[in-house]
Amino acid sequence: MCTPAAAYLHPDDRASLTEWVDRFSGHVADLRYDDAAAMMDHDVDSFSTWTDVVVGVDHFVDGQWRNVWPTITDFVLLTGRMRSRVSPDRLMAAVMVTWTSTGYATGGEPFDRPGRCSFVLVRDSVDGPWRGVQGHFSLMRGVPQQSFGART
């Protein structure tokens, strides 16, 4: 039986993709917008909760991330459950990963806020850094669409 080239994941690619996702996860948790934006291509595309189609990293940051990240806590992308594919030339990857987080109802009551996301990543060389050219985040079914932040 023939196995598609994309089904094999080079150990170096698995490690670099896991590192990329873990680093991005930490930026979300710590509200480091500029650091997360630096991991994206300037012309990144996405869908979002607040805008049907997002084009460009500045729009991603201002139109989505700044509306969501400050209202949640405990965000972690679960790389142990991550699925990924890498192109035969190892310059493009697709990553699917779930997350956990805590959202807050209007009165400040916490609720579980799990979700899932996908990224398309590219790099200029096999030894180069990955950068996101497409990202999509969505909540799991039945999770409230909006979080209002913890009441302090």
Side-chain angles (χ1 to χ4, degrees):
M1 181 160 100
C2 182
T3 303
Y8 171 75
L9 192 59
H10 190 281
D12 292 346
D13 296 338
R14 181 181 315 278
S16 67
L17 291 169
T18 299
E19 187 275 331
W20 190 96
V21 171
D22 282 340
R23 190 165 26 105
F24 187 85
S25 181
H27 295 334
V28 174
D30 295 335
L31 305 178
R32 292 194 311 261
Y33 305 104
D34 291 342
D35 292 334
M39 296 176 68
M40 297 292 167
D41 189 82
H42 179 74
D43 295 321
V44 64
D45 295 313
S46 182
F47 299 111
S48 82
T49 306
W50 303 102
T51 306
D52 290 339
V53 178
V54 173
V55 178
V57 71
D58 294 337
H59 194 189
F60 212 2
V61 172
D62 295 332
Q64 179 68 20
W65 296 351
R66 289 185 188 278
N67 288 318
V68 176
W69 296 3
T71 72
I72 63 173
T73 57
D74 310 316
F75 183 89
V76 177
L77 289 165
L78 304 171
T79 54
R81 300 179 186 173
M82 184 174 82
R83 306 271 304 167
S84 53
R85 294 279 182 124
V86 176
S87 64
D89 65 4
R90 299 176 57 207
L91 299 180
M92 179 179 273
V95 177
M96 294 175 18
V97 62
T98 57
W99 80 72
T100 61
S101 66
T102 302
Y104 297 89
T106 55
E109 303 83 15
F111 61 87
D112 289 333
R113 189 182 171 278
R116 58 210 165 187
C117 64
S118 62
F119 296 102
V120 175
L121 306 174
V122 298
R123 58 187 174 181
D124 297 325
S125 68
V126 172
D127 296 330
W130 294 107
R131 67 185 183 281
V133 295
Q134 192 277 334
H136 180 236
F137 296 78
S138 60
L139 296 166
M140 297 295 190
R141 288 178 297 282
V143 176
Q145 289 292 305
Q146 192 165 4
S147 177
F148 297 90
R151 186 167 281 182
T152 55

